[in-house]
Amino acid sequence: MKISLKWLREYVDITLSPRELANRLTMAGTETEGMQCIGENWTGITIGEITGISPHPNADRLKLVTIDLGSEQTTVVCGAPNTSIGSKVAFAPVGAQLIDGHSGEAFRLKSAKIRGITSNGMACSEKELGISDSHEGIITLPDEAPIGTPLADYLGDVIYDLAITANRPDCLSVIGVAREVAALTEQQLHLPDTSYIEAGHPIEQQISVEITAPELCSRYCASLITGIRVTDSPRWLQQRLLKCGMRPISNIVDITNYVMLEYGQPLHAFDYDQIQGRKITVRRAAAGEKITTLDGLERSLSPDMLVIADQKRAAAIAGIMGGIDSEVTDGTSSVLLEAANFNPASIHRTGSALNMPSEACTRFERGIRPELVDEAIRKATKLIIELAGGQAARGLVDVYPNRQEQEPILLTNEKIRNLLGIDFSTNRIVAALNSLGFTCRTATNPSGVRATAPYWRSDIKQEVDLIEEVARIIGYDKIPTTLLGTTLPSQNPEPMVKLKQMIRCHLRGYGFQEIVTYSLTSLELLGKLLPASSIEPPPLRMANPMTAEQEYLRPNLRANLLTTLYSNRKHEDDSIRIFELGKVYLPRQNDLPDEPEILCALLSGPRQSRSWHEGDNPVDFYDAKGTVESLINHLVTNLDFEKSSDLSLHPNKQAAILIDGNKVGIVGEIHPVVREAFDICEPTYLIEFNVSTLLPFTTGHKMFRTIPRFPAVVRDIALIADRGISHRSIQSIIEDTDLVTKVTVFDVYSGGQIPAGKKSLAYRITFQSPDHTLTDDEVDKVQQQIIGKLSRELGATLRS
Amino acid sequence: MISRLEQLKLGALKELDLITDAKEMELWRVNYLGKKSELTGILRSLSSLAVADRKSVGTVANRIRTELEDSLNKKKCNLREIQLAAATREENIDVTLPGRPLPTGRLHPITKTINEVSEIFNSMGFQVTSGPDVEWNYYNFEALNIHDDHPARDVMSTSWVDIKADKNRGPMLLRTHTTSVTARVIESQKPPIRVVEPGRVYRYEATDATHTPMFHQIDGLAVDKGITMADLKGTLYEFARRFFGEGRGVHFRCDYFPFVEPGVEMAIECLVCNGRGCRLCGNTGWLEILGAGMVHPRVLERGNIDPETYSGFAFGMGIDRLPMLRYGIDDIRQFYSNDLRFLSQF
C-alpha cells in the first residue's frame, strides 16, 4: 500500500527521518518495500506568481513571463500554453535540477539565451519536477500557495510503499499505519473530527435495509445525502489519491476512495434516486442472476455470492463492485452511502470467481472489523457535505445482526519468558500493549495482564498473538540470542539421505556431472521413448497445467536426461556423462503417488576426454556396466546381471541389474530409434536403478575378513569355446571350485587363428588355501578338475 | 715383498681410474682380485714364508686387498651414477603439455547448497528428513492454519493434480513449500524434534528470470520443552554466520506466516553493497533470507503436541537464491536448463 508521509503527519507527529521511520516500521512488521521522495531535488525551486506576460519579440509561440517571487521579480522565456496573470507557478532558477520534458533525463538548468532573450530560469511542468508525466503546460498551483516559499515545503512528500501482511487489514489505511507509528515512536494519535450537521429528514423515512444473509454480512450501515452536485474533486483530494495510486473520478467516488484509504473501510455510493422501492436487501444472488457492473461488463452470479439489491434487482455485488444502474453520475443529486462488513471467505471466493480483484475486496477478504464502519461513514458523509454540498439525513441506518465484542485474553509473564526467552516487567508489557490501543488489567496468580484488543484489530485471538505484539513493539533485537540447550534428539539419519549422498559422490568421482530437471513433463516427450514403455501406467496429469510441456508428472528420468544430452550436444562434442538422482511419480489407487528415488545416468562420446594422450575410443556397453559394478559393489556384494527386454534399449545390448536375485535396475544402449527421436547421433548408454529398492540391501555393516596368511598361486589358462557360451557360465564353473579365490577374464578374442564360430577367452585364476601353502601338485589337480568340468559342461577346451 | 705389494696396489689403482665401463671393471677385478691374481697368489703362499715375514706381509696384503675392493665398489657406484646421469639427460619431455585428464564430475549447485546448509544444521543436531512432493491439501495448507480462503494462498499459486479429492485430506497438489514436511513431522514425531527438510517445491507461475515452476526450499523445525525465540535467533544467526561468513550483519524483524506466532524474518547485510544500499537489495541494504517463527499453538495441537508443555520454532528458506547471491547468477532458469557450460563452473 502506498502511504504519503504528509498525510500521515495529519494524525501523528513524526519524530524520525523518513528513512528511520521506514526502518522502524519494517522491523515491527510493516515492511517498507519502496520509498519515493518527492521534492528531494527541488533545491532553489520556489513558488511564484505570474504578474506580467508579453510577446517574445523573435518568436510567435514563446512569451516573456514576469514572475513575482516575493522578494524579487524575474522574467523567463516560456512556451507553455497555460500561462495567465495571477497564476501560481513553480519557478526554477539557473542551477536547479530538473527532469528533461522530452528525454526524461535529469539535468541542471543553465543560463541560456532563447531566440536572443536571456531567460533567468524557468516555470516548470509536472514532468520537469518529476511529479507526473504531464508536460502539456506548466504546473499551476492553488491560489493559497504562498509566494516565495520553497516548493519542497509546499508540495514535497515521501511516498512509502508498504507491504501489509495478510493478518493486518487494519493497516491498509493511513490511520492504521499512523497507529503503528504512534506506538513505535511513543507519540499521540490525533484523529480527525467526523461530526457534521444532520439537517435533512430522518433517514429511516427514506430508506430501509434488511439483511437476509447475516452469515455473509455482519453489519450494514448507510447514510443519505440529498441535494449534492457531482463535480471534480478539489486538487488536494485528487493529489492524495494519485499519490496512493488511485485515479480521481468524481467528488463522490473520490470521497469513498479517500475514506477507504484513510480508515481502511471500503464504502460504496449509490445514486439514491435509482434505488427502486427505497429499500435495500442484502441477500444471496439468485442462480444465474445478472448484473452489469461499473466497468460495463455483464456478470452472471451464483447463490454463494452476496448482492446489495433494491426491490427490483441487484444494485451491487457486495464488497466487489457496484452496478451500472445505480452508479453515481453527473446528474446524481442524492447519494446513498454504504459502509458494511462482509464475510471474508465469501468475498475472497466471489472476487476470484469473477476475477475482479479490487482495493475493497483486498480489505474485506482479510477480515476487517465491523466497528470500522462507524467513523468511516461519518467522515465520508461529512466530506460529501463539505465538497459536494447537500444535506445529510438525520441519523444512520445501522443493521448489525452479528455483533462480536473483543474478549479479554490473559497474558502471563511466565508465558512470555517461556516463549521469548526473556523476562519483561508487567509495566513494560502494559506500556507496549497500551501504545497499540489495547486495554489492560493486571492480573495476579498467575501474574500477567488481561488485555482486550482495540476495536480495529481482527488478528488478536490468543495469548501468542499478544506476545508478538509485545515483542515487536519492544523490538526483536531486545530478545537475546542463545543456542539450543534442550535435549539432543537421538541421531538416526535417514538411511536414504546417506545412500543418495554416497551415490552422488561416487558418480562425481567417476566423472559424471549431476543435473536437476523438472518434475513435470509432456506426453509428447515421454512418447519418444517408444509408446509401449512410456504409457503404462498412465502418468499423473495436472488439473491446471501452466504449459503443455508441464502437464504430466514424470514417470521416469530418461526422457529428461536424453533431452539434456541433446541440448548439450549442440555445443559439446567431447565425452558427456550426466546423471540425475531424483523422484519419479507413480500413481497409486486412492493415495498419493509412490515417489521412488531413481538414479539415471547417460554416457556418450569418447571414453576419455579428448586429449593428446589417447585416441577417441567411444564409450560402449561395458563402460556403463563397469560404472554400475564399481558403484554398487561399494554397497553390496551380491550384484548380478541378466538379459532384459526394455523396449527403449537396444534388444541385444542391455542387462537387468540384480541384487540377491531382485531386479533393481537396468543398463544398456539406448535403442537407435529412441536415440534418433531425441536427435542424438551417437550411441548412448543408460544406467537406471531404483535407489529406493536398493536401500534394504545396503543397511547393516560388512564384517571384516582376515588377510590370508598363506601365499596364493596364480595360473593363467586360455580356452576355446563356442561363441554362444557366456563368460558368466565359464566364470561360475571356475569360481565354484575348491581353493579358487578369484577369477579374472583378461582377454576375449575371435577371428584370426580362432576357428569360425568360436572365441578365445583367457582367465587368470588365483588359488589359495586358508591353512597351508599350496604345492604345485595340488594346484595342478584342481586346474585339471576345472578344465574337465568346462569341457564336459560347456564344451570349452584349452587353447593349445 | 712388501714393496712389490705397494707397487701392485699403485698400478692397480692407476688402472682402475682409467676404467669407463663395466666390462673393463670386471677384467680389472679378475686381474687384481680374482683367484688367479698376483695378490691372491701372495695371500695363498703366505704359509710358505718365514714366520717373521708371514705376519708383516700378510697384514699388508690383506690391507691392500680391502683397499682394492673398496676402490672397486666406489668406482662401481661412480660409474652407475655417470651412466644414470647420461640416461636421464636423454629422457626429455615437454612439461608444458597438459596432464592425462582424470574424469571430473561435479554436483549440481543446488545439491551442493542443500548439502552445505544441511551440514550446518546437522552440526546443531538437526537431521535431514523428507516428505512427498505430491501432497494433500491438508498438509500443505490446512495443518498450517492456511484455510481455503486465506489470503496467503494468493501468493502461493498452486498446481493441482487431476485426481479426485480425498474426503479428509482434500485435493492433491504439488507442495508449494517444504513446510508441508513440518506439518507431517509434527504429526508423526514426538518431541524432542530437530529436523531440516530440503526438497523440491512448485508454484503455478509463468517462467522468467526470477521464477520457475519448480524450485527448492529447506524448512526446519525444533520442538521441545523450553525452546524460545532466543533459541530461534541463536540457531539462525549461527547458520547465517557459517554460511555467509563472520561479520556479516544479520537482523530479525517481525513478519507474518500463518503457522507461526510470533513471526520472524531474517535478513542479512546485502552481499553486493554491504549494507550501503544498491539495486540488488532495493536500496534497503538488507537481503531477506528466510522466514521463521515460534510454531503456532494450533499447529502443534493438530499434531497432538500440547502447546502448554512444548514449544518450538520453524523456519524456511529458498535454496536457489543462495547460490544466485553467492555466485552472482541473475537468472534462476540456468539451474534447470542444465547447460554443462554453466554446471561445470561450480
Side-chain angles (χ1 to χ4, degrees), chain A residues 26 31 349 479 482 494 519 543 585, chain B residues 111 129 133 149 160 202 231 233 253 288:
Chain A
T26 298
E31 187 189 356
R349 280 193 289 262
I479 294 170
T482 55
E494 259 186 34
S519 307
Y585 308 88
Chain B
T111 304
T129 188
D133 290 18
D149 296 299
W160 302 94
Y202 306 83
D231 297 328
K233 282 181 69 180
R253 51 168 288 254
E288 295 167 10

mmCIF file with all atom_site columns, all heavy atoms in Angstrom, chain A residues 26 31 349 479 482 494 519 543 585, chain B residues 111 129 133 149 160 202 231 233 253 288:
data_model
loop_
_atom_site.group_PDB
_atom_site.id
_atom_site.type_symbol
_atom_site.label_atom_id
_atom_site.label_alt_id
_atom_site.label_comp_id
_atom_site.label_asym_id
_atom_site.label_entity_id
_atom_site.label_seq_id
_atom_site.pdbx_PDB_ins_code
_atom_site.Cartn_x
_atom_site.Cartn_y
_atom_site.Cartn_z
_atom_site.occupancy
_atom_site.B_iso_or_equiv
_atom_site.pdbx_formal_charge
_atom_site.auth_seq_id
_atom_site.auth_comp_id
_atom_site.auth_asym_id
_atom_site.auth_atom_id
_atom_site.pdbx_PDB_model_num
ATOM 1   N N   . THR A 1 26  ? 9.480   -1.306  9.251   1.00 0.00 ? 26  THR A N   1
ATOM 2   C CA  . THR A 1 26  ? 9.877   -2.599  8.700   1.00 0.00 ? 26  THR A CA  1
ATOM 3   C C   . THR A 1 26  ? 10.196  -3.593  9.812   1.00 0.00 ? 26  THR A C   1
ATOM 4   O O   . THR A 1 26  ? 9.721   -4.733  9.802   1.00 0.00 ? 26  THR A O   1
ATOM 5   C CB  . THR A 1 26  ? 11.110  -2.421  7.780   1.00 0.00 ? 26  THR A CB  1
ATOM 6   O OG1 . THR A 1 26  ? 10.748  -1.573  6.699   1.00 0.00 ? 26  THR A OG1 1
ATOM 7   C CG2 . THR A 1 26  ? 11.580  -3.755  7.217   1.00 0.00 ? 26  THR A CG2 1
ATOM 8   N N   . GLU A 1 31  ? 6.525   -3.826  6.395   1.00 0.00 ? 31  GLU A N   1
ATOM 9   C CA  . GLU A 1 31  ? 7.740   -3.728  5.591   1.00 0.00 ? 31  GLU A CA  1
ATOM 10  C C   . GLU A 1 31  ? 7.642   -2.612  4.559   1.00 0.00 ? 31  GLU A C   1
ATOM 11  O O   . GLU A 1 31  ? 6.666   -2.513  3.828   1.00 0.00 ? 31  GLU A O   1
ATOM 12  C CB  . GLU A 1 31  ? 7.992   -5.056  4.861   1.00 0.00 ? 31  GLU A CB  1
ATOM 13  C CG  . GLU A 1 31  ? 9.327   -5.066  4.151   1.00 0.00 ? 31  GLU A CG  1
ATOM 14  C CD  . GLU A 1 31  ? 9.502   -6.281  3.260   1.00 0.00 ? 31  GLU A CD  1
ATOM 15  O OE1 . GLU A 1 31  ? 8.615   -7.152  3.243   1.00 0.00 ? 31  GLU A OE1 1
ATOM 16  O OE2 . GLU A 1 31  ? 10.517  -6.349  2.571   1.00 0.00 ? 31  GLU A OE2 1
ATOM 17  N N   . ARG A 1 349 ? -13.937 -15.699 -2.380  1.00 0.00 ? 349 ARG A N   1
ATOM 18  C CA  . ARG A 1 349 ? -14.399 -16.622 -3.420  1.00 0.00 ? 349 ARG A CA  1
ATOM 19  C C   . ARG A 1 349 ? -15.069 -15.877 -4.561  1.00 0.00 ? 349 ARG A C   1
ATOM 20  O O   . ARG A 1 349 ? -14.834 -16.174 -5.728  1.00 0.00 ? 349 ARG A O   1
ATOM 21  C CB  . ARG A 1 349 ? -15.370 -17.645 -2.821  1.00 0.00 ? 349 ARG A CB  1
ATOM 22  C CG  . ARG A 1 349 ? -14.656 -18.778 -2.098  1.00 0.00 ? 349 ARG A CG  1
ATOM 23  C CD  . ARG A 1 349 ? -15.602 -19.917 -1.812  1.00 0.00 ? 349 ARG A CD  1
ATOM 24  N NE  . ARG A 1 349 ? -16.553 -19.558 -0.788  1.00 0.00 ? 349 ARG A NE  1
ATOM 25  C CZ  . ARG A 1 349 ? -16.415 -19.894 0.505   1.00 0.00 ? 349 ARG A CZ  1
ATOM 26  N NH1 . ARG A 1 349 ? -15.376 -20.603 0.881   1.00 0.00 ? 349 ARG A NH1 1
ATOM 27  N NH2 . ARG A 1 349 ? -17.305 -19.533 1.392   1.00 0.00 ? 349 ARG A NH2 1
ATOM 28  N N   . ILE A 1 479 ? 15.449  -9.261  22.182  1.00 0.00 ? 479 ILE A N   1
ATOM 29  C CA  . ILE A 1 479 ? 15.396  -10.670 22.586  1.00 0.00 ? 479 ILE A CA  1
ATOM 30  C C   . ILE A 1 479 ? 16.810  -11.247 22.489  1.00 0.00 ? 479 ILE A C   1
ATOM 31  O O   . ILE A 1 479 ? 17.509  -10.999 21.502  1.00 0.00 ? 479 ILE A O   1
ATOM 32  C CB  . ILE A 1 479 ? 14.410  -11.451 21.683  1.00 0.00 ? 479 ILE A CB  1
ATOM 33  C CG1 . ILE A 1 479 ? 12.993  -10.924 21.951  1.00 0.00 ? 479 ILE A CG1 1
ATOM 34  C CG2 . ILE A 1 479 ? 14.490  -12.954 21.920  1.00 0.00 ? 479 ILE A CG2 1
ATOM 35  C CD1 . ILE A 1 479 ? 11.961  -11.417 20.992  1.00 0.00 ? 479 ILE A CD1 1
ATOM 36  N N   . THR A 1 482 ? 20.483  -17.206 21.906  1.00 0.00 ? 482 THR A N   1
ATOM 37  C CA  . THR A 1 482 ? 21.043  -18.365 22.613  1.00 0.00 ? 482 THR A CA  1
ATOM 38  C C   . THR A 1 482 ? 21.053  -19.560 21.670  1.00 0.00 ? 482 THR A C   1
ATOM 39  O O   . THR A 1 482 ? 20.319  -19.583 20.692  1.00 0.00 ? 482 THR A O   1
ATOM 40  C CB  . THR A 1 482 ? 20.176  -18.732 23.833  1.00 0.00 ? 482 THR A CB  1
ATOM 41  O OG1 . THR A 1 482 ? 18.833  -18.929 23.384  1.00 0.00 ? 482 THR A OG1 1
ATOM 42  C CG2 . THR A 1 482 ? 20.190  -17.657 24.890  1.00 0.00 ? 482 THR A CG2 1
ATOM 43  N N   . GLU A 1 494 ? 18.296  -40.489 8.292   1.00 0.00 ? 494 GLU A N   1
ATOM 44  C CA  . GLU A 1 494 ? 17.506  -41.283 7.345   1.00 0.00 ? 494 GLU A CA  1
ATOM 45  C C   . GLU A 1 494 ? 18.477  -42.021 6.436   1.00 0.00 ? 494 GLU A C   1
ATOM 46  O O   . GLU A 1 494 ? 19.308  -41.392 5.780   1.00 0.00 ? 494 GLU A O   1
ATOM 47  C CB  . GLU A 1 494 ? 16.634  -40.358 6.503   1.00 0.00 ? 494 GLU A CB  1
ATOM 48  C CG  . GLU A 1 494 ? 15.209  -40.320 6.961   1.00 0.00 ? 494 GLU A CG  1
ATOM 49  C CD  . GLU A 1 494 ? 14.329  -39.518 6.018   1.00 0.00 ? 494 GLU A CD  1
ATOM 50  O OE1 . GLU A 1 494 ? 14.572  -39.520 4.797   1.00 0.00 ? 494 GLU A OE1 1
ATOM 51  O OE2 . GLU A 1 494 ? 13.381  -38.878 6.519   1.00 0.00 ? 494 GLU A OE2 1
ATOM 52  N N   . SER A 1 519 ? 10.207  -31.813 -12.614 1.00 0.00 ? 519 SER A N   1
ATOM 53  C CA  . SER A 1 519 ? 9.384   -32.988 -12.316 1.00 0.00 ? 519 SER A CA  1
ATOM 54  C C   . SER A 1 519 ? 8.216   -33.113 -13.292 1.00 0.00 ? 519 SER A C   1
ATOM 55  O O   . SER A 1 519 ? 7.608   -34.159 -13.391 1.00 0.00 ? 519 SER A O   1
ATOM 56  C CB  . SER A 1 519 ? 8.801   -32.889 -10.906 1.00 0.00 ? 519 SER A CB  1
ATOM 57  O OG  . SER A 1 519 ? 9.818   -32.662 -9.986  1.00 0.00 ? 519 SER A OG  1
ATOM 58  N N   . ALA A 1 543 ? -4.232  -30.714 -13.122 1.00 0.00 ? 543 ALA A N   1
ATOM 59  C CA  . ALA A 1 543 ? -5.556  -30.186 -13.446 1.00 0.00 ? 543 ALA A CA  1
ATOM 60  C C   . ALA A 1 543 ? -5.433  -28.823 -14.108 1.00 0.00 ? 543 ALA A C   1
ATOM 61  O O   . ALA A 1 543 ? -6.262  -28.438 -14.914 1.00 0.00 ? 543 ALA A O   1
ATOM 62  C CB  . ALA A 1 543 ? -6.398  -30.090 -12.185 1.00 0.00 ? 543 ALA A CB  1
ATOM 63  N N   . TYR A 1 585 ? 7.136   -40.233 -10.215 1.00 0.00 ? 585 TYR A N   1
ATOM 64  C CA  . TYR A 1 585 ? 5.824   -40.188 -9.553  1.00 0.00 ? 585 TYR A CA  1
ATOM 65  C C   . TYR A 1 585 ? 4.921   -41.235 -10.186 1.00 0.00 ? 585 TYR A C   1
ATOM 66  O O   . TYR A 1 585 ? 4.515   -41.087 -11.338 1.00 0.00 ? 585 TYR A O   1
ATOM 67  C CB  . TYR A 1 585 ? 5.248   -38.778 -9.675  1.00 0.00 ? 585 TYR A CB  1
ATOM 68  C CG  . TYR A 1 585 ? 6.247   -37.748 -9.204  1.00 0.00 ? 585 TYR A CG  1
ATOM 69  C CD1 . TYR A 1 585 ? 7.189   -37.208 -10.082 1.00 0.00 ? 585 TYR A CD1 1
ATOM 70  C CD2 . TYR A 1 585 ? 6.309   -37.369 -7.862  1.00 0.00 ? 585 TYR A CD2 1
ATOM 71  C CE1 . TYR A 1 585 ? 8.153   -36.302 -9.636  1.00 0.00 ? 585 TYR A CE1 1
ATOM 72  C CE2 . TYR A 1 585 ? 7.262   -36.464 -7.413  1.00 0.00 ? 585 TYR A CE2 1
ATOM 73  C CZ  . TYR A 1 585 ? 8.182   -35.938 -8.310  1.00 0.00 ? 585 TYR A CZ  1
ATOM 74  O OH  . TYR A 1 585 ? 9.125   -35.050 -7.874  1.00 0.00 ? 585 TYR A OH  1
ATOM 75  N N   . THR B 2 111 ? 22.299  -29.072 -5.362  1.00 0.00 ? 111 THR B N   1
ATOM 76  C CA  . THR B 2 111 ? 22.653  -30.168 -4.445  1.00 0.00 ? 111 THR B CA  1
ATOM 77  C C   . THR B 2 111 ? 23.744  -29.705 -3.484  1.00 0.00 ? 111 THR B C   1
ATOM 78  O O   . THR B 2 111 ? 23.680  -29.964 -2.278  1.00 0.00 ? 111 THR B O   1
ATOM 79  C CB  . THR B 2 111 ? 23.172  -31.383 -5.242  1.00 0.00 ? 111 THR B CB  1
ATOM 80  O OG1 . THR B 2 111 ? 22.192  -31.760 -6.188  1.00 0.00 ? 111 THR B OG1 1
ATOM 81  C CG2 . THR B 2 111 ? 23.477  -32.545 -4.336  1.00 0.00 ? 111 THR B CG2 1
ATOM 82  N N   . THR B 2 129 ? 15.330  -34.828 6.920   1.00 0.00 ? 129 THR B N   1
ATOM 83  C CA  . THR B 2 129 ? 14.211  -35.735 6.688   1.00 0.00 ? 129 THR B CA  1
ATOM 84  C C   . THR B 2 129 ? 13.492  -35.262 5.436   1.00 0.00 ? 129 THR B C   1
ATOM 85  O O   . THR B 2 129 ? 13.812  -34.215 4.883   1.00 0.00 ? 129 THR B O   1
ATOM 86  C CB  . THR B 2 129 ? 13.287  -35.809 7.920   1.00 0.00 ? 129 THR B CB  1
ATOM 87  O OG1 . THR B 2 129 ? 12.336  -36.837 7.711   1.00 0.00 ? 129 THR B OG1 1
ATOM 88  C CG2 . THR B 2 129 ? 12.554  -34.505 8.142   1.00 0.00 ? 129 THR B CG2 1
ATOM 89  N N   . ASP B 2 133 ? 6.600   -34.920 -2.621  1.00 0.00 ? 133 ASP B N   1
ATOM 90  C CA  . ASP B 2 133 ? 6.418   -33.721 -3.455  1.00 0.00 ? 133 ASP B CA  1
ATOM 91  C C   . ASP B 2 133 ? 4.938   -33.533 -3.768  1.00 0.00 ? 133 ASP B C   1
ATOM 92  O O   . ASP B 2 133 ? 4.437   -32.416 -3.792  1.00 0.00 ? 133 ASP B O   1
ATOM 93  C CB  . ASP B 2 133 ? 7.143   -33.881 -4.802  1.00 0.00 ? 133 ASP B CB  1
ATOM 94  C CG  . ASP B 2 133 ? 8.648   -33.843 -4.673  1.00 0.00 ? 133 ASP B CG  1
ATOM 95  O OD1 . ASP B 2 133 ? 9.155   -34.034 -3.553  1.00 0.00 ? 133 ASP B OD1 1
ATOM 96  O OD2 . ASP B 2 133 ? 9.317   -33.636 -5.698  1.00 0.00 ? 133 ASP B OD2 1
ATOM 97  N N   . ASP B 2 149 ? -9.692  -20.056 2.109   1.00 0.00 ? 149 ASP B N   1
ATOM 98  C CA  . ASP B 2 149 ? -9.879  -18.678 1.671   1.00 0.00 ? 149 ASP B CA  1
ATOM 99  C C   . ASP B 2 149 ? -8.853  -17.739 2.265   1.00 0.00 ? 149 ASP B C   1
ATOM 100 O O   . ASP B 2 149 ? -9.039  -16.537 2.306   1.00 0.00 ? 149 ASP B O   1
ATOM 101 C CB  . ASP B 2 149 ? -11.301 -18.215 2.031   1.00 0.00 ? 149 ASP B CB  1
ATOM 102 C CG  . ASP B 2 149 ? -12.327 -19.026 1.275   1.00 0.00 ? 149 ASP B CG  1
ATOM 103 O OD1 . ASP B 2 149 ? -12.299 -18.977 0.032   1.00 0.00 ? 149 ASP B OD1 1
ATOM 104 O OD2 . ASP B 2 149 ? -13.118 -19.738 1.918   1.00 0.00 ? 149 ASP B OD2 1
ATOM 105 N N   . TRP B 2 160 ? -2.475  -28.103 -9.192  1.00 0.00 ? 160 TRP B N   1
ATOM 106 C CA  . TRP B 2 160 ? -3.317  -29.183 -8.673  1.00 0.00 ? 160 TRP B CA  1
ATOM 107 C C   . TRP B 2 160 ? -3.201  -30.418 -9.535  1.00 0.00 ? 160 TRP B C   1
ATOM 108 O O   . TRP B 2 160 ? -3.096  -30.326 -10.751 1.00 0.00 ? 160 TRP B O   1
ATOM 109 C CB  . TRP B 2 160 ? -4.779  -28.726 -8.622  1.00 0.00 ? 160 TRP B CB  1
ATOM 110 C CG  . TRP B 2 160 ? -4.977  -27.497 -7.786  1.00 0.00 ? 160 TRP B CG  1
ATOM 111 C CD1 . TRP B 2 160 ? -5.003  -26.202 -8.228  1.00 0.00 ? 160 TRP B CD1 1
ATOM 112 C CD2 . TRP B 2 160 ? -5.127  -27.445 -6.359  1.00 0.00 ? 160 TRP B CD2 1
ATOM 113 N NE1 . TRP B 2 160 ? -5.174  -25.349 -7.155  1.00 0.00 ? 160 TRP B NE1 1
ATOM 114 C CE2 . TRP B 2 160 ? -5.256  -26.076 -6.001  1.00 0.00 ? 160 TRP B CE2 1
ATOM 115 C CE3 . TRP B 2 160 ? -5.170  -28.403 -5.350  1.00 0.00 ? 160 TRP B CE3 1
ATOM 116 C CZ2 . TRP B 2 160 ? -5.410  -25.658 -4.691  1.00 0.00 ? 160 TRP B CZ2 1
ATOM 117 C CZ3 . TRP B 2 160 ? -5.343  -27.987 -4.042  1.00 0.00 ? 160 TRP B CZ3 1
ATOM 118 C CH2 . TRP B 2 160 ? -5.456  -26.628 -3.719  1.00 0.00 ? 160 TRP B CH2 1
ATOM 119 N N   . TYR B 2 202 ? 6.821   -26.318 -5.752  1.00 0.00 ? 202 TYR B N   1
ATOM 120 C CA  . TYR B 2 202 ? 6.219   -25.986 -7.054  1.00 0.00 ? 202 TYR B CA  1
ATOM 121 C C   . TYR B 2 202 ? 5.261   -24.812 -6.917  1.00 0.00 ? 202 TYR B C   1
ATOM 122 O O   . TYR B 2 202 ? 4.567   -24.682 -5.913  1.00 0.00 ? 202 TYR B O   1
ATOM 123 C CB  . TYR B 2 202 ? 5.444   -27.193 -7.579  1.00 0.00 ? 202 TYR B CB  1
ATOM 124 C CG  . TYR B 2 202 ? 6.285   -28.442 -7.645  1.00 0.00 ? 202 TYR B CG  1
ATOM 125 C CD1 . TYR B 2 202 ? 6.472   -29.248 -6.518  1.00 0.00 ? 202 TYR B CD1 1
ATOM 126 C CD2 . TYR B 2 202 ? 6.931   -28.804 -8.819  1.00 0.00 ? 202 TYR B CD2 1
ATOM 127 C CE1 . TYR B 2 202 ? 7.259   -30.382 -6.562  1.00 0.00 ? 202 TYR B CE1 1
ATOM 128 C CE2 . TYR B 2 202 ? 7.725   -29.934 -8.881  1.00 0.00 ? 202 TYR B CE2 1
ATOM 129 C CZ  . TYR B 2 202 ? 7.880   -30.724 -7.747  1.00 0.00 ? 202 TYR B CZ  1
ATOM 130 O OH  . TYR B 2 202 ? 8.667   -31.842 -7.790  1.00 0.00 ? 202 TYR B OH  1
ATOM 131 N N   . ASP B 2 231 ? 16.340  -18.971 21.235  1.00 0.00 ? 231 ASP B N   1
ATOM 132 C CA  . ASP B 2 231 ? 16.979  -20.118 20.582  1.00 0.00 ? 231 ASP B CA  1
ATOM 133 C C   . ASP B 2 231 ? 16.840  -20.023 19.064  1.00 0.00 ? 231 ASP B C   1
ATOM 134 O O   . ASP B 2 231 ? 17.753  -20.357 18.318  1.00 0.00 ? 231 ASP B O   1
ATOM 135 C CB  . ASP B 2 231 ? 16.348  -21.432 21.064  1.00 0.00 ? 231 ASP B CB  1
ATOM 136 C CG  . ASP B 2 231 ? 16.558  -21.673 22.546  1.00 0.00 ? 231 ASP B CG  1
ATOM 137 O OD1 . ASP B 2 231 ? 17.601  -21.235 23.062  1.00 0.00 ? 231 ASP B OD1 1
ATOM 138 O OD2 . ASP B 2 231 ? 15.676  -22.275 23.184  1.00 0.00 ? 231 ASP B OD2 1
ATOM 139 N N   . LYS B 2 233 ? 16.608  -17.277 17.347  1.00 0.00 ? 233 LYS B N   1
ATOM 140 C CA  . LYS B 2 233 ? 17.563  -16.268 16.875  1.00 0.00 ? 233 LYS B CA  1
ATOM 141 C C   . LYS B 2 233 ? 18.981  -16.832 16.865  1.00 0.00 ? 233 LYS B C   1
ATOM 142 O O   . LYS B 2 233 ? 19.721  -16.650 15.896  1.00 0.00 ? 233 LYS B O   1
ATOM 143 C CB  . LYS B 2 233 ? 17.508  -15.016 17.768  1.00 0.00 ? 233 LYS B CB  1
ATOM 144 C CG  . LYS B 2 233 ? 16.331  -14.111 17.495  1.00 0.00 ? 233 LYS B CG  1
ATOM 145 C CD  . LYS B 2 233 ? 16.353  -12.868 18.396  1.00 0.00 ? 233 LYS B CD  1
ATOM 146 C CE  . LYS B 2 233 ? 17.477  -11.912 18.061  1.00 0.00 ? 233 LYS B CE  1
ATOM 147 N NZ  . LYS B 2 233 ? 17.469  -10.729 18.948  1.00 0.00 ? 233 LYS B NZ  1
ATOM 148 N N   . ARG B 2 253 ? 13.306  -9.382  12.010  1.00 0.00 ? 253 ARG B N   1
ATOM 149 C CA  . ARG B 2 253 ? 12.199  -8.441  12.109  1.00 0.00 ? 253 ARG B CA  1
ATOM 150 C C   . ARG B 2 253 ? 10.883  -9.208  12.155  1.00 0.00 ? 253 ARG B C   1
ATOM 151 O O   . ARG B 2 253 ? 10.826  -10.400 11.878  1.00 0.00 ? 253 ARG B O   1
ATOM 152 C CB  . ARG B 2 253 ? 12.202  -7.477  10.928  1.00 0.00 ? 253 ARG B CB  1
ATOM 153 C CG  . ARG B 2 253 ? 12.281  -8.138  9.546   1.00 0.00 ? 253 ARG B CG  1
ATOM 154 C CD  . ARG B 2 253 ? 11.972  -7.125  8.473   1.00 0.00 ? 253 ARG B CD  1
ATOM 155 N NE  . ARG B 2 253 ? 10.562  -6.833  8.506   1.00 0.00 ? 253 ARG B NE  1
ATOM 156 C CZ  . ARG B 2 253 ? 9.682   -7.272  7.608   1.00 0.00 ? 253 ARG B CZ  1
ATOM 157 N NH1 . ARG B 2 253 ? 10.065  -7.984  6.584   1.00 0.00 ? 253 ARG B NH1 1
ATOM 158 N NH2 . ARG B 2 253 ? 8.398   -6.985  7.725   1.00 0.00 ? 253 ARG B NH2 1
ATOM 159 N N   . GLU B 2 288 ? 16.491  -10.292 2.323   1.00 0.00 ? 288 GLU B N   1
ATOM 160 C CA  . GLU B 2 288 ? 15.676  -11.234 3.089   1.00 0.00 ? 288 GLU B CA  1
ATOM 161 C C   . GLU B 2 288 ? 16.129  -12.648 2.751   1.00 0.00 ? 288 GLU B C   1
ATOM 162 O O   . GLU B 2 288 ? 16.245  -13.006 1.586   1.00 0.00 ? 288 GLU B O   1
ATOM 163 C CB  . GLU B 2 288 ? 14.208  -11.078 2.691   1.00 0.00 ? 288 GLU B CB  1
ATOM 164 C CG  . GLU B 2 288 ? 13.661  -9.721  3.078   1.00 0.00 ? 288 GLU B CG  1
ATOM 165 C CD  . GLU B 2 288 ? 12.321  -9.429  2.419   1.00 0.00 ? 288 GLU B CD  1
ATOM 166 O OE1 . GLU B 2 288 ? 11.743  -10.354 1.830   1.00 0.00 ? 288 GLU B OE1 1
ATOM 167 O OE2 . GLU B 2 288 ? 11.892  -8.272  2.500   1.00 0.00 ? 288 GLU B OE2 1
#
